[in-house]
Structures are given as structure tokens and as C-alpha cells.
Amino acid sequence: TPKLVYAIPGDQFDYTLTVSNSGVAVNGFTVKDYLPVGLDFVSSPQTFTYDAATNTVTWNNLNIAANGTLALTVKVKYV
């Protein structure tokens, strides 16, 4: 996937977090991410909650295999 070098206000792009697990399988965990200043949430293909007041995206009840990785993606807009 190409890396975004620069953005102009109004540009939309995918913002991806990668969770890595170097141990045993883990079920039912939560990931919370505070989007950086200048990025507005647009959408996510995964089940999530979004708090506009804190610009936070939260994914609940996630599962990851032993020694696995999990990509969590949101579409954001640069403002």
C-alpha cells in the first residue's frame, strides 16, 4: 500500500493500525485510538464506535490468533 506523502484539506485516505500478538490467542479485547488533530473520521469497514467529542475510534470484542496480526482501518479526512 502506498504511503501518503502529503495531503491537502478535504483529502480522504485510509488510516490503519496494526495490532501484533507475540503470545497466545487473545479474545474479547478492545483497541481505542485517538485520531490525530487535523483528521476527521469518515467510516470504517469493521464494527466500531466513534466519539466525535474526543475524536476517538474504539473497536470492542476483538480476537487475535497466537502470533497473529490484526489490521484496523478507518477512512479519515484531512481538515
Side-chain angles (χ1 to χ4, degrees):
T1 303
K3 301 265 187 231
L4 184 66
V5 176
Y6 65 91
I8 58 172
D11 281 353
Q12 292 186 11
F13 55 92
D14 289 339
Y15 178 87
T16 301
L17 301 171
T18 302
V19 179
S20 297
N21 177 16
S22 60
V24 299
V26 179
N27 297 309
F29 68 94
T30 297
V31 171
K32 181 182 282 190
D33 185 57
Y34 298 89
L35 296 176
V37 172
L39 296 182
D40 280 351
F41 174 81
V42 176
S43 66
S44 175
Q46 291 104 355
T47 302
F48 65 94
T49 57
Y50 174 66
D51 181 344
T54 60
N55 209 26
T56 304
V57 182
T58 304
W59 294 268
N60 292 304
N61 203 27
L62 297 172
N63 304 310
I64 190 169
N67 301 307
T69 59
L70 177 64
L72 300 170
T73 302
V74 292
K75 184 167 289 297
V76 294
K77 179 170 73 171
Y78 179 65
V79 293

Coordinates of all heavy atoms in Angstrom, one line a residue:
T1 N 0.8 -1.2 0.0 CA 0.0 0.0 0.0 C 0.9 1.2 0.0 O 1.8 1.4 0.8 CB -0.9 0.0 1.3 OG1 -1.7 -1.2 1.3 CG2 -1.8 1.2 1.3
P2 N 0.6 2.2 -0.9 CA 1.4 3.4 -0.9 C 1.3 4.2 0.3 O 0.2 4.2 0.9 CB 0.9 4.2 -2.1 CG -0.2 3.4 -2.7 CD -0.4 2.2 -1.9
K3 N 2.3 4.9 0.8 CA 2.3 5.8 1.9 C 1.9 7.2 1.4 O 2.4 7.6 0.4 CB 3.7 5.8 2.6 CG 4.1 4.5 3.1 CD 3.8 4.3 4.5 CE 4.4 3.0 5.0 NZ 3.6 2.1 5.6
L4 N 1.1 7.8 2.2 CA 0.7 9.2 1.9 C 1.8 10.1 2.2 O 2.3 10.1 3.3 CB -0.6 9.6 2.7 CG -1.2 10.9 2.4 CD1 -1.7 11.0 1.0 CD2 -2.3 11.2 3.4
V5 N 2.3 10.9 1.2 CA 3.4 11.8 1.4 C 2.9 13.2 1.9 O 3.5 13.8 2.8 CB 4.2 12.0 0.1 CG1 5.3 13.0 0.3 CG2 4.7 10.6 -0.3
Y6 N 1.8 13.6 1.3 CA 1.2 14.9 1.8 C -0.3 14.8 1.5 O -0.8 14.0 0.7 CB 1.9 16.1 1.1 CG 1.6 16.1 -0.4 CD1 0.5 16.8 -0.9 CD2 2.4 15.4 -1.3 CE1 0.2 16.8 -2.3 CE2 2.2 15.4 -2.7 CZ 1.1 16.1 -3.2 OH 0.8 16.1 -4.5
A7 N -1.0 15.7 2.1 CA -2.5 15.8 1.9 C -2.9 17.3 1.9 O -2.2 18.1 2.6 CB -3.2 15.1 3.0
I8 N -3.9 17.6 1.2 CA -4.5 18.9 1.2 C -5.8 18.8 1.8 O -6.5 17.7 1.8 CB -4.6 19.5 -0.2 CG1 -5.4 18.6 -1.2 CG2 -3.2 19.7 -0.8 CD1 -5.7 19.3 -2.5
P9 N -6.3 19.9 2.5 CA -7.6 19.8 3.1 C -8.7 19.3 2.2 O -8.8 19.6 1.1 CB -7.9 21.3 3.5 CG -6.5 21.9 3.7 CD -5.6 21.2 2.6
G10 N -9.4 18.3 2.8 CA -10.5 17.7 2.0 C -10.1 16.3 1.5 O -11.0 15.5 1.2
D11 N -8.8 16.0 1.5 CA -8.4 14.7 1.0 C -8.9 13.6 2.0 O -8.8 13.8 3.2 CB -6.9 14.6 0.9 CG -6.3 15.2 -0.3 OD1 -7.1 15.6 -1.2 OD2 -5.1 15.3 -0.4
Q12 N -9.3 12.5 1.5 CA -9.7 11.3 2.3 C -8.7 10.2 2.0 O -8.3 10.0 0.9 CB -11.1 10.9 2.0 CG -12.2 11.8 2.4 CD -13.6 11.3 2.2 OE1 -13.8 10.1 2.0 NE2 -14.5 12.2 2.4
F13 N -8.4 9.5 3.1 CA -7.4 8.3 2.9 C -7.6 7.3 4.1 O -8.3 7.6 5.1 CB -6.0 8.8 2.9 CG -5.5 9.6 4.0 CD1 -5.0 9.1 5.1 CD2 -5.7 11.0 4.0 CE1 -4.6 9.8 6.2 CE2 -5.3 11.8 5.1 CZ -4.7 11.2 6.2
D14 N -7.1 6.1 3.9 CA -7.2 5.1 4.9 C -6.1 5.3 6.0 O -4.9 5.6 5.6 CB -7.1 3.7 4.3 CG -8.3 3.3 3.5 OD1 -9.4 3.9 3.7 OD2 -8.1 2.4 2.7
Y15 N -6.5 5.1 7.2 CA -5.6 5.3 8.4 C -5.7 3.9 9.0 O -6.7 3.5 9.5 CB -6.1 6.4 9.3 CG -5.4 6.6 10.6 CD1 -4.3 7.5 10.6 CD2 -5.8 6.0 11.7 CE1 -3.7 7.8 11.8 CE2 -5.2 6.3 12.9 CZ -4.1 7.2 13.0 OH -3.5 7.4 14.1
T16 N -4.5 3.2 9.1 CA -4.5 1.8 9.5 C -3.7 1.6 10.8 O -2.5 2.0 10.8 CB -4.1 0.8 8.4 OG1 -4.9 1.0 7.3 CG2 -4.1 -0.6 8.9
L17 N -4.2 0.9 11.7 CA -3.5 0.5 12.9 C -3.2 -1.0 12.8 O -4.2 -1.7 12.4 CB -4.3 0.7 14.2 CG -4.8 2.1 14.5 CD1 -5.7 2.1 15.7 CD2 -3.6 3.0 14.9
T18 N -2.1 -1.5 13.1 CA -1.8 -2.9 13.1 C -1.5 -3.4 14.5 O -0.6 -2.8 15.1 CB -0.6 -3.2 12.1 OG1 -0.9 -2.7 10.8 CG2 -0.4 -4.7 12.1
V19 N -2.3 -4.3 14.9 CA -2.1 -4.9 16.3 C -1.3 -6.2 16.1 O -1.8 -7.1 15.3 CB -3.4 -5.2 17.0 CG1 -3.2 -5.8 18.3 CG2 -4.2 -3.9 17.0
S20 N -0.2 -6.4 16.8 CA 0.6 -7.6 16.7 C 0.5 -8.4 18.0 O 0.5 -7.8 19.1 CB 2.0 -7.3 16.4 OG 2.1 -6.7 15.2
N21 N 0.5 -9.7 18.0 CA 0.4 -10.5 19.1 C 1.5 -11.5 19.1 O 1.6 -12.4 18.2 CB -1.0 -11.3 19.2 CG -1.1 -12.2 20.4 OD1 -0.3 -12.1 21.3 ND2 -2.0 -13.1 20.3
S22 N 2.4 -11.5 20.0 CA 3.6 -12.4 20.0 C 3.3 -13.6 21.0 O 4.3 -14.3 21.3 CB 4.9 -11.7 20.3 OG 4.8 -11.1 21.6
G23 N 2.1 -13.7 21.5 CA 1.8 -14.7 22.5 C 0.7 -15.6 22.1 O 0.5 -15.9 20.9
V24 N -0.1 -16.1 23.1 CA -1.2 -17.0 22.8 C -2.4 -16.2 22.3 O -2.4 -14.9 22.4 CB -1.6 -17.7 24.1 CG1 -0.5 -18.5 24.7 CG2 -2.1 -16.7 25.2
A25 N -3.4 -16.9 21.7 CA -4.6 -16.2 21.2 C -5.2 -15.4 22.3 O -5.3 -15.8 23.5 CB -5.5 -17.2 20.7
V26 N -5.8 -14.2 21.9 CA -6.5 -13.3 22.8 C -7.9 -13.1 22.2 O -8.0 -12.7 21.0 CB -5.7 -12.0 23.0 CG1 -6.4 -11.1 24.0 CG2 -4.3 -12.3 23.5
N27 N -8.9 -13.2 23.1 CA -10.3 -12.9 22.6 C -10.9 -11.9 23.5 O -10.6 -11.7 24.7 CB -11.1 -14.2 22.7 CG -10.6 -15.3 21.8 OD1 -10.3 -15.1 20.7 ND2 -10.3 -16.5 22.4
G28 N -11.8 -11.1 22.9 CA -12.6 -10.1 23.6 C -11.8 -8.8 24.0 O -12.3 -8.2 25.0
F29 N -10.8 -8.4 23.4 CA -10.1 -7.2 23.8 C -10.5 -6.0 23.0 O -11.3 -6.1 22.1 CB -8.5 -7.4 23.7 CG -8.0 -7.5 22.3 CD1 -7.6 -6.4 21.6 CD2 -8.0 -8.7 21.6 CE1 -7.1 -6.5 20.3 CE2 -7.5 -8.8 20.3 CZ -7.0 -7.7 19.7
T30 N -10.1 -4.8 23.5 CA -10.6 -3.5 23.0 C -9.3 -2.8 22.5 O -8.3 -2.8 23.2 CB -11.3 -2.7 24.1 OG1 -12.5 -3.4 24.4 CG2 -11.7 -1.3 23.6
V31 N -9.5 -2.0 21.4 CA -8.5 -1.1 20.9 C -9.2 0.3 20.8 O -10.2 0.4 20.2 CB -7.9 -1.5 19.6 CG1 -7.0 -0.4 19.0 CG2 -7.1 -2.8 19.7
K32 N -8.5 1.3 21.4 CA -9.0 2.6 21.3 C -7.9 3.5 20.7 O -6.8 3.4 21.1 CB -9.4 3.2 22.7 CG -9.9 4.6 22.7 CD -10.2 5.1 24.1 CE -11.5 4.5 24.5 NZ -12.0 5.1 25.8
D33 N -8.3 4.3 19.7 CA -7.3 5.2 19.0 C -7.9 6.6 19.0 O -9.0 6.8 18.5 CB -7.0 4.7 17.6 CG -5.9 5.5 17.0 OD1 -4.8 5.6 17.6 OD2 -6.2 6.1 15.9
Y34 N -7.1 7.5 19.4 CA -7.4 9.0 19.3 C -6.8 9.5 18.0 O -5.6 9.5 17.8 CB -6.8 9.7 20.5 CG -7.3 9.3 21.8 CD1 -6.7 8.3 22.5 CD2 -8.4 9.9 22.4 CE1 -7.2 7.8 23.8 CE2 -8.9 9.4 23.6 CZ -8.3 8.4 24.3 OH -8.8 8.0 25.5
L35 N -7.7 9.8 17.1 CA -7.2 10.3 15.8 C -6.4 11.6 16.0 O -6.8 12.5 16.8 CB -8.4 10.5 14.8 CG -9.2 9.3 14.5 CD1 -10.4 9.6 13.6 CD2 -8.3 8.2 13.8
P36 N -5.3 11.8 15.3 CA -4.5 13.0 15.4 C -5.3 14.2 15.0 O -6.2 14.2 14.2 CB -3.4 12.8 14.4 CG -3.3 11.3 14.2 CD -4.8 10.8 14.3
V37 N -4.9 15.4 15.6 CA -5.5 16.6 15.2 C -5.3 16.8 13.7 O -4.3 16.5 13.2 CB -4.8 17.8 16.0 CG1 -5.3 19.1 15.5 CG2 -5.1 17.6 17.5
G38 N -6.4 17.3 13.1 CA -6.3 17.5 11.6 C -7.0 16.4 10.8 O -7.1 16.5 9.6
L39 N -7.4 15.3 11.5 CA -8.0 14.2 10.8 C -9.5 14.1 11.4 O -9.6 14.0 12.6 CB -7.3 12.9 11.0 CG -5.9 12.8 10.4 CD1 -5.3 11.4 10.7 CD2 -5.9 13.1 9.0
D40 N -10.4 14.0 10.5 CA -11.8 13.8 10.9 C -12.2 12.4 10.4 O -11.9 11.9 9.3 CB -12.8 14.8 10.2 CG -12.8 16.1 10.9 OD1 -12.3 16.2 12.0 OD2 -13.4 17.0 10.3
F41 N -12.9 11.7 11.3 CA -13.4 10.3 11.0 C -14.4 10.4 9.8 O -15.3 11.2 9.8 CB -14.0 9.7 12.2 CG -14.7 8.4 12.0 CD1 -13.9 7.3 12.0 CD2 -16.0 8.3 11.8 CE1 -14.5 6.0 11.7 CE2 -16.6 7.1 11.6 CZ -15.9 5.9 11.5
V42 N -14.4 9.4 8.9 CA -15.3 9.3 7.8 C -16.1 7.9 8.0 O -17.3 7.9 8.0 CB -14.7 9.4 6.4 CG1 -15.7 9.1 5.3 CG2 -14.0 10.7 6.3
S43 N -15.4 6.8 8.0 CA -16.0 5.5 8.1 C -15.0 4.4 8.4 O -13.8 4.7 8.4 CB -16.7 5.1 6.7 OG -15.7 5.0 5.7
S44 N -15.5 3.2 8.7 CA -14.7 2.1 9.0 C -15.4 0.8 8.5 O -16.6 0.7 8.7 CB -14.3 1.9 10.5 OG -13.6 0.7 10.7
P45 N -14.7 -0.1 7.9 CA -15.3 -1.4 7.5 C -15.6 -2.3 8.7 O -16.4 -3.2 8.5 CB -14.3 -2.0 6.5 CG -13.0 -1.4 6.9 CD -13.3 -0.1 7.5
Q46 N -14.9 -2.2 9.8 CA -15.1 -3.0 10.9 C -16.2 -2.4 11.9 O -16.5 -1.3 11.7 CB -13.8 -3.2 11.7 CG -12.7 -4.0 11.1 CD -11.6 -3.1 10.5 OE1 -11.7 -1.9 10.5 NE2 -10.6 -3.7 9.9
T47 N -16.7 -3.3 12.8 CA -17.6 -2.8 13.8 C -16.9 -1.9 14.8 O -15.8 -2.4 15.3 CB -18.3 -4.0 14.5 OG1 -19.0 -4.8 13.5 CG2 -19.3 -3.5 15.5
F48 N -17.4 -0.8 15.1 CA -16.6 0.2 15.9 C -17.6 1.1 16.6 O -18.8 1.2 16.3 CB -15.7 1.0 15.1 CG -16.5 1.9 14.1 CD1 -16.8 3.2 14.4 CD2 -16.9 1.3 12.9 CE1 -17.6 4.0 13.5 CE2 -17.7 2.1 12.0 CZ -18.0 3.4 12.3
T49 N -17.1 2.0 17.5 CA -17.9 3.1 18.0 C -17.0 4.3 17.8 O -15.7 4.2 17.8 CB -18.2 3.0 19.5 OG1 -17.0 2.8 20.2 CG2 -19.2 1.9 19.7
Y50 N -17.6 5.5 17.5 CA -16.8 6.7 17.3 C -17.4 7.8 18.2 O -18.6 8.0 18.3 CB -17.0 7.2 15.8 CG -16.3 8.5 15.6 CD1 -15.0 8.7 15.7 CD2 -17.1 9.6 15.3 CE1 -14.4 9.9 15.5 CE2 -16.5 10.9 15.1 CZ -15.1 11.0 15.2 OH -14.6 12.2 15.0
D51 N -16.5 8.5 18.9 CA -16.9 9.6 19.8 C -16.3 10.9 19.2 O -15.1 11.1 19.3 CB -16.2 9.3 21.2 CG -16.6 10.4 22.2 OD1 -17.1 11.5 21.8 OD2 -16.4 10.1 23.4
A52 N -17.2 11.6 18.6 CA -16.9 12.9 18.0 C -16.3 13.9 18.9 O -15.4 14.7 18.5 CB -18.1 13.5 17.2
A53 N -16.7 13.9 20.2 CA -16.2 14.8 21.2 C -14.7 14.7 21.4 O -14.0 15.7 21.7 CB -17.0 14.7 22.5
T54 N -14.3 13.4 21.4 CA -12.8 13.2 21.7 C -12.1 12.7 20.4 O -10.9 12.5 20.5 CB -12.7 12.1 22.8 OG1 -13.3 10.9 22.3 CG2 -13.3 12.6 24.1
N55 N -12.8 12.6 19.3 CA -12.2 12.1 18.0 C -11.5 10.8 18.2 O -10.4 10.5 17.8 CB -11.2 13.2 17.5 CG -11.1 13.1 15.9 OD1 -12.0 12.7 15.3 ND2 -10.0 13.5 15.4
T56 N -12.3 9.9 18.9 CA -11.8 8.6 19.3 C -12.6 7.5 18.6 O -13.8 7.5 18.6 CB -11.9 8.4 20.8 OG1 -11.2 9.4 21.4 CG2 -11.3 7.0 21.2
V57 N -11.9 6.5 18.0 CA -12.5 5.3 17.4 C -12.1 4.1 18.4 O -11.0 4.0 18.8 CB -11.9 5.0 16.0 CG1 -12.6 3.8 15.4 CG2 -12.1 6.2 15.1
T58 N -13.2 3.3 18.7 CA -13.0 2.2 19.6 C -13.5 0.9 18.9 O -14.7 0.9 18.4 CB -13.7 2.4 20.9 OG1 -13.2 3.6 21.5 CG2 -13.5 1.3 21.9
W59 N -12.7 -0.1 18.9 CA -13.1 -1.4 18.4 C -13.2 -2.3 19.6 O -12.2 -2.5 20.4 CB -12.1 -2.0 17.4 CG -12.0 -1.2 16.2 CD1 -12.7 -1.5 15.0 CD2 -11.1 -0.2 15.9 NE1 -12.3 -0.6 14.0 CE2 -11.3 0.2 14.5 CE3 -10.1 0.5 16.6 CZ2 -10.6 1.2 13.9 CZ3 -9.4 1.5 16.0 CH2 -9.6 1.9 14.7
N60 N -14.4 -2.9 19.9 CA -14.6 -3.8 21.0 C -14.7 -5.3 20.6 O -15.0 -5.6 19.5 CB -15.9 -3.4 21.8 CG -15.7 -2.1 22.4 OD1 -14.8 -1.8 23.2 ND2 -16.6 -1.1 22.1
N61 N -14.5 -6.1 21.6 CA -14.6 -7.6 21.4 C -13.8 -8.1 20.2 O -14.4 -8.9 19.4 CB -16.1 -7.9 21.3 CG -16.4 -9.3 21.6 OD1 -15.7 -10.0 22.4 ND2 -17.5 -9.9 21.1
L62 N -12.6 -7.7 20.1 CA -11.7 -8.2 19.1 C -11.0 -9.5 19.5 O -10.9 -9.8 20.6 CB -10.7 -7.2 18.8 CG -11.2 -5.8 18.3 CD1 -10.0 -4.8 18.2 CD2 -11.8 -6.0 16.9
N63 N -10.6 -10.3 18.4 CA -9.9 -11.5 18.6 C -8.7 -11.5 17.8 O -8.7 -11.0 16.6 CB -10.8 -12.7 18.3 CG -12.1 -12.7 19.0 OD1 -12.1 -12.6 20.2 ND2 -13.2 -12.8 18.3
I64 N -7.6 -12.1 18.3 CA -6.4 -12.2 17.5 C -5.7 -13.6 17.8 O -5.7 -14.0 19.0 CB -5.4 -11.0 17.8 CG1 -4.2 -11.0 16.8 CG2 -4.9 -11.1 19.2 CD1 -3.4 -9.7 16.9
A65 N -5.3 -14.2 16.8 CA -4.7 -15.5 16.9 C -3.3 -15.4 17.6 O -2.7 -14.4 17.6 CB -4.5 -16.2 15.5
A66 N -2.8 -16.6 18.1 CA -1.5 -16.6 18.6 C -0.5 -16.2 17.5 O -0.6 -16.7 16.4 CB -1.2 -18.1 19.1
N67 N 0.4 -15.4 17.9 CA 1.4 -14.9 16.9 C 0.8 -14.3 15.7 O 1.4 -14.3 14.6 CB 2.4 -16.1 16.5 CG 3.1 -16.6 17.7 OD1 3.7 -15.9 18.5 ND2 3.0 -17.9 18.0
G68 N -0.3 -13.7 15.8 CA -1.0 -13.1 14.7 C -1.0 -11.6 14.6 O -0.4 -11.0 15.5
T69 N -1.6 -11.0 13.6 CA -1.7 -9.6 13.5 C -3.1 -9.3 13.1 O -3.9 -10.1 12.5 CB -0.8 -9.0 12.4 OG1 -1.0 -9.6 11.1 CG2 0.7 -9.2 12.8
L70 N -3.5 -8.1 13.4 CA -4.9 -7.6 13.1 C -4.8 -6.2 12.6 O -4.2 -5.3 13.2 CB -5.8 -7.7 14.3 CG -7.2 -7.2 14.3 CD1 -8.0 -8.1 13.3 CD2 -7.8 -7.2 15.7
A71 N -5.4 -5.9 11.4 CA -5.4 -4.5 10.8 C -6.7 -3.9 11.1 O -7.8 -4.5 10.8 CB -5.0 -4.6 9.3
L72 N -6.7 -2.7 11.7 CA -7.9 -2.0 11.9 C -7.8 -0.7 11.1 O -6.8 0.1 11.2 CB -8.0 -1.6 13.4 CG -8.1 -2.8 14.3 CD1 -8.0 -2.4 15.8 CD2 -9.4 -3.6 14.1
T73 N -8.8 -0.4 10.2 CA -8.7 0.7 9.3 C -9.9 1.6 9.4 O -11.0 1.1 9.6 CB -8.6 0.1 7.8 OG1 -7.5 -0.8 7.7 CG2 -8.5 1.2 6.8
V74 N -9.6 2.9 9.4 CA -10.7 3.9 9.3 C -10.3 4.8 8.1 O -9.2 5.0 7.8 CB -10.8 4.7 10.6 CG1 -11.3 3.9 11.7 CG2 -9.5 5.4 10.9
K75 N -11.4 5.3 7.5 CA -11.2 6.3 6.4 C -11.3 7.6 7.1 O -12.2 7.8 7.9 CB -12.3 6.2 5.3 CG -12.1 7.2 4.2 CD -12.9 6.9 3.0 CE -12.4 5.7 2.2 NZ -11.1 5.7 1.6
V76 N -10.4 8.5 6.9 CA -10.3 9.8 7.5 C -10.3 10.9 6.5 O -9.9 10.6 5.3 CB -9.1 9.9 8.5 CG1 -9.3 9.0 9.7 CG2 -7.8 9.7 7.8
K77 N -10.6 12.1 6.9 CA -10.5 13.3 6.0 C -9.5 14.3 6.7 O -9.6 14.6 7.9 CB -11.8 13.9 5.8 CG -11.8 15.1 4.9 CD -13.1 15.6 4.5 CE -13.8 16.3 5.6 NZ -15.1 17.0 5.2
Y78 N -8.6 14.8 5.9 CA -7.7 15.8 6.4 C -8.4 17.1 6.3 O -8.9 17.5 5.3 CB -6.4 15.8 5.5 CG -5.4 16.9 5.9 CD1 -4.8 16.8 7.1 CD2 -5.1 17.9 5.0 CE1 -3.9 17.8 7.5 CE2 -4.2 18.9 5.4 CZ -3.6 18.8 6.6 OH -2.7 19.8 7.0
V79 N -8.4 17.8 7.5 CA -9.1 19.1 7.5 C -8.1 20.2 7.9 O -7.0 20.0 8.3 CB -10.2 19.1 8.6 CG1 -11.3 18.2 8.1 CG2 -9.7 18.7 9.9

